[in-house]
Amino acid sequence: MPQGLLGIEGLSRPEIQAILDRSRDFQPRGDQRFRKLDLLRGRMVVNLFFEASTRTRTSFEIAARRLGADAVSITAQASSVSKGESLVDTLNTLAAMHPDAIIMRHAASGAPHFLQRYLETPIINAGDGTHEHPTQALLDARTILDRGQTLEGLRVAIIGDIAHSRVARSNVHLLSKFGAHIVLCGPASLLPRELENIASGVTLTTDMNEAICGADVIMMLRVQLERQHEAAFPANEYFQFYGLRLEHLQLAKPEVIVMHPGPINRGREISSEVADSQRSVILNQVENGIAVRMAVLESVLGAKKNGNAAH
Ligand code: NCD
């Protein structure tokens, strides 16, 4: 079986820890830039994105190049998908060009898992529908750990459109494996009750103050309008109840950090004062995206080379 990275749910704690540890080696020190290495020289990855992306696609590309690999990016609009080619045919066509991995983002939950059953090439999931976004959870964990926090016992409030968030799901899986307490918070219509059972250590609330009270980490989510079929909340009304403002931070631990996977919508889920505050680590998350994706690529491509799968 090819060993890609489809989700956090199927990984063990030591497998996750290994990626988090390895990503530290790839972080730039001080004000240095990312180092250019040749660990994956001669290898090639294909980025296949069926949904919009700025951070994830760019950082996978940069990560591959920093390791000496070649990276080719394809967006669905510019590919034969727009000429009616099926997903399986598109993937088989790309696989016939022998990339070492295919990094894919797709609007359908489970699409990469389905394709991986038919494909020899390892697939790295860069976000599948409302299901998982494993590298986002890994870079989030790296960012929390960089602040000297251990994940065990941490109180993490995840706030916003939980129902449609693959970021929330992957984070819940990762954080619960490490013994964190996770509070999921959002309007009732965006907070499915069954999520309480998705992993241990998860509680739900529709009350934002309750979620933030005593939090070590506040993770804000974008309202995923592209996945909502009902009429959405007007932005100002949503902001009034679920937008993060400076006064909320008083309720959290003094050292609280504010995270957001991006893209942020100022004035909808987060105020500019908070997004640009000292407590915000939003740009650290972006920076860590490269180091973490370097560790993932090394693990996936290295695993194929010597037949010794890291996960
Ligand atoms: C997230 C995604 O695509 O799931 N973005 C990202 O990868 N940084 C979150 C979002 O789009 O809101």
Side-chain angles (χ1 to χ4, degrees):
M1 266 298 281
Q3 296 283 338
L5 174 63
L6 298 177
I8 296 292
E9 189 176 7
L11 296 185
S12 68
R13 184 168 160 162
E15 286 167 335
I16 295 169
Q17 189 67 56
I19 295 173
L20 295 175
D21 289 346
R22 184 59 172 148
S23 65
R24 291 198 69 178
D25 300 334
F26 295 131
Q27 286 177 315
R29 303 271 169 264
D31 52 9
Q32 281 173 4
R33 302 164 45 142
F34 280 96
R35 278 176 303 152
K36 179 107 168 97
L37 304 165
D38 64 357
L39 292 167
L40 296 180
R41 192 156 32 135
R43 323 301 291 282
M44 196 241 299
V45 297
V46 173
N47 265 320
L48 178 62
F49 278 63
F50 294 91
E51 279 192 332
S53 170
T54 308
R55 277 146 284 265
T56 308
R57 206 191 71 191
T58 316
S59 71
F60 263 117
E61 255 178 58
I62 294 173
R65 296 208 173 111
R66 289 279 162 220
L67 289 168
D70 295 316
V72 181
S73 286
I74 301 164
T75 47
Q77 295 89 330
S79 73
S80 291
V81 174
S82 63
K83 298 183 186 170
E85 189 172 62
S86 79
L87 190 54
V88 173
D89 285 334
T90 303
L91 266 286
N92 276 330
T93 303
L94 292 175
M97 300 181 198
H98 300 289
D100 293 285
I102 295 175
I103 299 157
M104 77 174 271
R105 168 170 286 190
H106 198 278
S109 301
H113 306 69
F114 160 75
L115 290 162
Q116 188 66 94
R117 283 193 259 146
Y118 300 98
L119 219 68
E120 280 299 314
T121 313
I123 297 179
I124 298 174
N125 182 5
D128 64 316
T130 61
H131 180 220
E132 279 236 37
H133 191 349
T135 54
Q136 181 69 43
L138 289 164
L139 73 89
D140 288 341
R142 182 66 271 155
T143 307
I144 296 171
L145 293 168
D146 286 348
R147 289 284 164 135
Q149 314 254 36
T150 53
L151 301 177
E152 183 118 36
L154 220 60
R155 187 176 157 93
V156 183
I158 306 182
I159 302 170
D161 181 359
I162 308 288
H164 301 100
S165 178
R166 52 200 178 203
V167 175
R169 269 176 195 70
S170 286
N171 265 295
V172 166
H173 286 304
L174 191 153
L175 292 166
S176 77
K177 285 179 204 277
F178 283 81
H181 304 295
I182 305 141
V183 187
L184 300 178
C185 173
S189 57
L190 300 177
L191 189 67
R193 303 264 15 137
E194 61 271 18
L195 277 180
E196 207 154 30
N197 307 320
I198 174 178
S200 60
V202 181
T203 52
L204 310 188
T205 178
T206 53
D207 180 341
M208 183 150 168
N209 288 344
E210 187 187 316
I212 291 175
C213 199
D216 299 279
V217 177
I218 302 172
M219 198 178 279
M220 300 305 295
L221 300 173
R222 185 174 64 86
V223 181
Q224 313 252 312
L225 292 173
E226 72 274 27
R227 300 190 211 288
Q228 295 183 11
H229 305 298
E230 325 74 47
F233 291 87
N236 55 356
E237 208 168 293
Y238 183 88
F239 186 71
Q240 193 185 335
F241 289 100
Y242 295 101
L244 188 65
R245 299 180 294 274
L246 276 180
E247 66 257 29
H248 288 120
L249 302 188
Q250 312 289 332
L251 302 168
K253 297 254 178 73
E255 296 301 301
V256 68
I257 56 171
V258 175
M259 309 179 75
H260 193 306
I264 64 172
N265 284 296
R266 293 167 186 261
R268 184 184 276 269
E269 70 266 4
I270 191 165
S271 71
S272 277
E273 290 78 12
V274 176
D276 302 329
S277 75
Q278 291 293 321
R279 308 262 42 100
S280 164
V281 294
I282 296 171
L283 293 177
N284 304 73
Q285 291 172 268
V286 176
E287 188 178 15
N288 276 333
I290 297 178
V292 160
R293 291 181 174 114
M294 287 171 81
V296 166
L297 287 173
E298 183 193 44
S299 160
V300 170
L301 273 63
K304 195 184 166 206
K305 188 167 66 181
N306 52 29
N308 174 17
H311 57 78

